[in-house]
Amino acid sequence: MSAIFNFQSLLTVILLLICTCAYIRAMAPSLLDKNKTGLLGIFWKCARIGKPVIALYFLLHKVVFILLISMKYCLMM
């Protein structure tokens, strides 16, 4: 099934695009900084929001992981 029709897959593709653009901007900023407008400006915008989005994603991931571990521990008692 295409990622367009599956919401979870669409979110995964968008997050992958944001992470990839942030990585490219960290390694070679001149590739994305010269295209701030137009169609290629989408990649520059993804790179700009990349760091906060990645940080928020990993923060939420750790919180959910800790909650799941604590729930599993509580159920074992």
Side-chain angles (χ1 to χ4, degrees):
M1 181 185 282
S2 177
I4 296 171
F5 301 116
N6 187 351
F7 185 68
Q8 185 176 2
S9 297
L10 179 64
L11 288 178
T12 303
V13 169
I14 291 171
L15 186 63
L16 182 62
L17 174 70
I18 289 171
C19 292
T20 304
C21 291
Y23 178 77
I24 290 172
R25 188 162 188 252
M27 293 295 126
S30 62
L31 288 175
L32 294 176
D33 287 342
K34 63 183 176 183
N35 297 317
K36 293 183 180 180
T37 59
L39 185 61
L40 294 176
I42 294 170
F43 301 116
W44 179 78
K45 291 173 187 171
C46 287
R48 290 284 295 181
I49 65 169
K51 284 188 178 180
V53 167
I54 294 168
L56 181 64
Y57 171 75
F58 282 113
L59 179 69
L60 289 173
H61 185 271
K62 293 296 179 186
V63 167
V64 168
F65 181 73
I66 290 171
L67 289 174
L68 287 175
I69 294 295
S70 64
M71 287 174 51
K72 183 179 178 182
Y73 180 73
C74 289
L75 290 174
M76 289 174 56
M77 293 184 134

